[in-house]
Amino acid sequence: MNTKVKKGLCKLFLGVVLLALYLPILMLVVYSFTDSSNIGAIRGFSIQNYVTLFTKPELTQMIGGTLFLAVGASVIATLLGTLGAVGAFYSGKLVKLAIGAVNEVPVVNADVVTGFSVCILLIGVFGVDKNTFVPLVVGHVVLLAPFVYLSVAPKLKQMDSSLYEAALDLGASPATALRKVVLPQIMPGVWSGFMLAFTLSLDDYFITSYTKPATFDTISTYVVNATKGSQTEIKTALWALSTIIFVVVLTVVVIMNFADSSSEKRQSKAKEKADR
């Protein structure tokens, strides 16, 4: 088999994989701009789903609450995950291995286990009121922080570890060296961890359903309840919401990849100049 045939087969395989991944989403986008009430028959063009999404109070409140929770939990998780990754990086070998192993448990653990555990600990043991947002926020942070750790750790390994010690030798305090030397180099990983945490928080259902107050809904819990009901207008408006989420996430990913690529090119050029 010659090289051209191999390349053609590779491209064909890649195309099939991409089609399988994105064709369902593209169909969702198409349906969100129609007046179809059921999947199976595409009718005329309409933006009524988007009008309903942004004018119906219960939908706007649900979206606002979901975004507020996702941003708040992601900020806390990013702070904890970044500090954990930095602490593990500058620790001894055994401590680093122990922290890495402990961090992997929540990643591979089932969400239902985390949700039940948070409820039992906070509500059953510490007596936290179930109708507060404390169990919900704690549950999301427990879910998200390990993923931030995994996003930041590779950037720390790529960093020149001697720069931190050099800053300390030049008179900088540990906090100043961390803020001015370490953080700028690992910032792409921090941002990636934050965005990953944000999307995971938006998508989480099990932990949210077990820890949320009775009167509060996120996108995931609302969608599950809405699909069980008979409000067609709500169901089709959720197609529009899903489309918006996909477009926003796709845009952010493209921008972050472009920024990361530009940053790597700048660092590479700076390194070449320094070597000369």
Side-chain angles (χ1 to χ4, degrees), residues 1-202:
M1 188 180 292
N2 59 43
T3 305
K4 290 184 178 180
V5 175
K6 287 183 179 179
K7 288 183 178 179
L9 290 175
C10 289
K11 291 180 179 179
L12 177 62
F13 178 75
L14 179 61
V16 171
V17 172
L18 291 175
L19 186 65
L21 288 173
Y22 289 100
L23 182 59
I25 299 176
L26 292 176
M27 290 304 300
L28 172 67
V29 173
V30 171
Y31 269 93
S32 72
F33 285 101
T34 68
D35 57 4
S36 301
S37 57
N38 292 301
I39 297 175
I42 298 179
R43 299 180 181 176
F45 174 83
S46 174
I47 60 170
Q48 183 57 44
N49 292 330
Y50 292 86
V51 173
T52 302
L53 179 65
F54 291 108
T55 56
K56 205 166 185 64
E58 65 178 285
L59 290 174
T60 55
Q61 290 174 8
M62 175 269 294
I63 294 171
T66 302
L67 293 176
F68 185 78
L69 170 65
V71 171
S74 298
V75 168
I76 298 172
T78 300
L79 178 62
L80 295 178
T82 302
L83 291 177
V86 172
F89 181 75
Y90 287 105
S91 298
K93 185 176 181 180
L94 291 178
V95 175
K96 185 184 298 185
L97 290 174
I99 295 175
V102 170
N103 183 79
E104 290 177 4
V105 174
V107 173
V108 299
N109 196 20
D111 286 358
V112 63
V113 176
T114 303
F116 278 136
S117 301
V118 170
C119 284
I120 291 173
L121 178 64
L122 295 181
I123 299 172
V125 177
F126 292 110
V128 177
D129 188 356
K130 175 69 167 66
N131 292 319
T132 65
F133 287 92
V134 174
L136 178 60
V137 174
V138 171
H140 274 240
V141 171
V142 170
L143 170 69
L144 306 178
F147 289 94
V148 176
Y149 178 100
L150 293 176
S151 296
V152 175
K155 291 297 179 182
L156 286 164
K157 292 179 182 178
Q158 295 172 9
M159 182 187 70
D160 185 355
S161 59
S162 63
L163 293 176
Y164 178 76
E165 285 80 4
L168 296 179
D169 292 339
L170 292 173
S173 65
T176 301
L178 176 64
R179 188 177 71 255
K180 293 187 175 182
V181 177
V182 177
L183 280 179
Q185 297 186 75
I186 65 172
M187 192 53 67
V190 174
W191 276 112
S192 297
F194 174 82
M195 290 308 304
L196 178 59
F198 183 79
T199 54
L200 286 172
S201 178
L202 288 179

